[in-house]
Amino acid sequence: MLRNHEPTALAAVRSLAHRAVQWPARAAWANLKPAPDDSHTSLTWDPDMAALLSQPLEGGVRVGLRIAVHELVFATQSRREALPLIGKPDAEIGSWLDGRLVAEGLKAASGTKLPYEMPSAMFARARDEALRFPAIALWFAAAAEALEELRQGYRRYRPGPGPVRCWPHHFDIAFLVALDEGRAGSARSIGIGVSPGDNYYAQPYLYVSPYPKPDTANLPPLPPGARWHTKDFFGAVATGIDLLALPDPRAGFTSIVEAAFAESMRRLGP
């Protein structure tokens, strides 16, 4: 099903979904105690709702985005409401969300200033992209499933892998394998995730990125479909087009992650 839409045709719809997911992020910024890594603003993929959901707010309230149908979700322990976003101005969306948050004793979200700049989506219109929203949602669903399966294999490391999260700043879905306990500042880690696209690649792509950035000389070849990326960030990358061109994209996905992880460990050192 990922092949139904060319990955390079998803840049506009991705930008619209990226902007829409800032509403759950604003609700989290307004109502949750800040975490040092900003994980309080992260979202999780809920396969039953086919939605990215915020971390639970007080009383179990969660705000989310159903990407495939481009609607905002407001869920409590007893009910669920949704607002279709196509054709809705920000003022109307903010008013809808704020009213429900305040009714549950929570703080309004619309006035919350994000601590990062959002890329422009002026070239994209939701009505024009309606048929592509399900396609970008499929990439999130497939990524969440594949990453969760892979995450289990890295539990042998300590402190080990964190949960699979979607980060609203860059809109990637990923988990981080922490490699050092009680080591501040230069603690080593390896991030494994899928971006729906950005200014580096205008399509979804897999990445495996070690931290701190190691020496990048004499990089070995990666499995088919992958390449090393060295501009601004370092890591192994496999674009959606290259992954889907493989005979078995899921097996290729796993092979690329394992090879890149092993090389990252070698370069990070003991």
Side-chain angles (χ1 to χ4, degrees):
M1 293 178 69
L2 292 173
R3 293 188 173 97
N4 289 346
H5 289 269
E6 192 75 10
T8 53
L10 302 179
V13 72
R14 175 253 299 167
S15 71
L16 291 166
H18 189 183
R19 295 186 76 82
V21 86
Q22 302 312 310
W23 289 108
R26 286 188 183 95
W29 279 109
N31 289 284
L32 292 178
K33 181 180 178 180
D37 61 354
D38 289 341
S39 58
H40 63 296
T41 69
S42 68
L43 302 100
T44 56
W45 179 261
D46 185 301
D48 295 328
M49 290 179 61
L52 288 168
L53 297 179
S54 71
Q55 302 306 307
L57 310 182
E58 186 176 346
V61 170
R62 302 186 80 172
V63 182
L65 177 70
R66 295 188 67 213
I67 298 175
V69 290
H70 201 50
E71 68 178 21
L72 197 62
V73 176
F74 186 89
T76 70
Q77 295 176 340
S78 60
R79 75 181 195 283
R80 184 187 305 168
E81 299 180 64
L83 176 71
L85 298 180
I86 294 178
K88 298 288 194 306
D90 282 353
E92 184 177 344
I93 298 169
S95 177
W96 183 90
L97 178 57
D98 288 349
R100 280 147 185 80
L101 288 168
V102 171
E104 296 294 326
L106 297 166
K107 295 179 182 177
S110 63
T112 301
K113 181 174 173 55
L114 298 171
Y116 45 82
E117 295 296 323
M118 287 294 299
S120 172
M122 294 296 290
F123 66 95
R125 297 195 309 172
R127 292 191 187 280
D128 298 337
E129 301 299 326
L131 295 178
R132 292 189 178 93
F133 280 112
I136 202 73
L138 277 174
W139 277 98
F140 275 94
E145 180 182 321
L147 291 171
E148 182 57 41
E149 183 176 293
L150 280 169
R151 190 181 76 90
Q152 301 303 320
Y154 293 104
R155 295 177 68 179
R156 63 187 183 276
Y157 295 94
R158 292 291 180 270
V164 175
R165 302 178 185 272
C166 174
W167 300 88
H169 183 187
H170 295 295
F171 204 28
D172 57 329
I173 185 166
F175 67 92
L176 189 73
V177 182
L179 301 172
D180 294 315
E181 289 188 276
R183 181 175 166 183
S186 61
R188 300 169 306 150
S189 62
I190 300 175
I192 302 170
V194 173
S195 168
D198 52 26
N199 59 322
Y200 297 106
Y201 301 94
Q203 60 177 301
Y205 66 91
L206 163 68
Y207 68 84
V208 181
S209 184
Y211 178 85
K213 181 181 178 180
D215 174 33
T216 60
N218 303 313
L219 292 167
L222 288 163
R227 69 193 78 171
W228 292 107
H229 179 102
T230 57
K231 181 182 178 182
D232 298 332
F233 74 89
F234 171 71
V237 164
T239 65
I241 283 181
D242 290 336
L243 284 170
L244 295 179
L246 298 174
D248 185 339
R250 181 65 173 265
F253 185 102
T254 300
S255 176
I256 291 165
V257 170
E258 290 177 347
F261 189 93
E263 182 61 22
S264 295
M265 286 291 294
R266 189 181 76 80
R267 289 178 180 258
L268 287 175

